[in-house]
Amino acid sequence: MDTHAPATDAPSRILDAAENLIIARGVAALTLEAAAREAGVSKGGLLYHFASKEALLEALLGRLSAFIAQEFAACVAAQPEGKGRVARAMLEWGFGQGDLACNERHERAGAVFLAAFHHDPALLAPIRAVIADMRAAVAADGLPLGHGAAIMAAGDGLFMARLFSLYAPSATELTEMRAALSGLLGIKS
């Protein structure tokens, strides 16, 4: 999922190629033949690593799940210890990521979500497990019931708005939303 360095091993190149296909041409363009061609491997080479389209999608979801879990853990670790640590991380994660690399990673994640859902919604189980862990961490964060969950839901809403190009909040709106959510943490802006 890191888009800064090109992959050198065949499985990672194939996964990157599959993501590129989905982003460039949509879910329907993801075939084993197209992924092999995009990755610069033979179809047999692709089948050696991923026996089916479902196996390819499962690998994409596994890689994405690990990326999300790592990114979330890093956001939490960057926050000071204490009550509300996880919710503060959620606030930063949802509202503090305006850089181009981050937006590209989110676009790639969204493409994988949509491809997996289109093929078989059950493939999203690894993502659902990571999100369930995140929700449990938010619930055990020591804040009043609903405060952390509201922050998480707001971040999820912004992700979906970006993913589907539904709307782009202005800088002022983002600042005001962040200030309102900070109030749930007892932070004065």
Side-chain angles (χ1 to χ4, degrees), residues 145-167:
L145 186 63
H147 287 210
I151 292 167
M152 185 174 180
D156 291 345
L158 286 176
F159 173 74
M160 290 299 164
R162 281 192 300 263
L163 174 62
F164 293 110
S165 299
L166 299 173
Y167 63 90

Side-chain angles (χ1 to χ4, degrees), residues 36-179:
R37 190 173 40 256
E38 180 84 12
V41 300
S42 68
K43 185 175 177 187
L46 181 142
L47 290 171
Y48 176 80
H49 298 289
F50 308 104
S52 66
K53 184 175 180 177
E54 186 165 286
L56 180 60
L57 288 167
E58 285 174 350
L60 283 169
L61 267 292
R63 181 168 79 162
L64 179 57
S65 297
F67 170 77
I68 291 170
Q70 284 180 311
E71 190 174 76
F72 178 65
C75 285
V76 172
Q79 296 297 315
E81 296 273 342
K83 182 173 96 172
R85 181 182 195 190
V86 176
R88 289 190 308 273
M90 282 287 185
L91 187 61
E92 185 59 34
W93 198 20
F95 286 82
Q97 299 185 348
D99 66 53
L100 189 57
C102 174
N103 289 338
E104 182 183 342
R105 285 191 306 269
H106 285 177
E107 181 180 335
R108 295 178 82 77
V112 172
F113 287 166
L114 293 173
F117 186 81
H118 176 74
H119 184 75
D120 179 1
L123 291 174
L124 291 174
I127 298 293
R128 290 183 182 109
V130 169
I131 291 173
D133 290 345
M134 292 165 57
R135 288 177 49 82
V138 167
D141 203 19
L143 295 175
L145 186 63
H147 287 210
I151 292 167
M152 185 174 180
D156 291 345
L158 286 176
F159 173 74
M160 290 299 164
R162 281 192 300 263
L163 174 62
F164 293 110
S165 299
L166 299 173
Y167 63 90
S170 69
T172 301
E173 288 174 313
L174 287 171
T175 299
E176 293 301 317
M177 284 189 281
R178 186 176 185 144

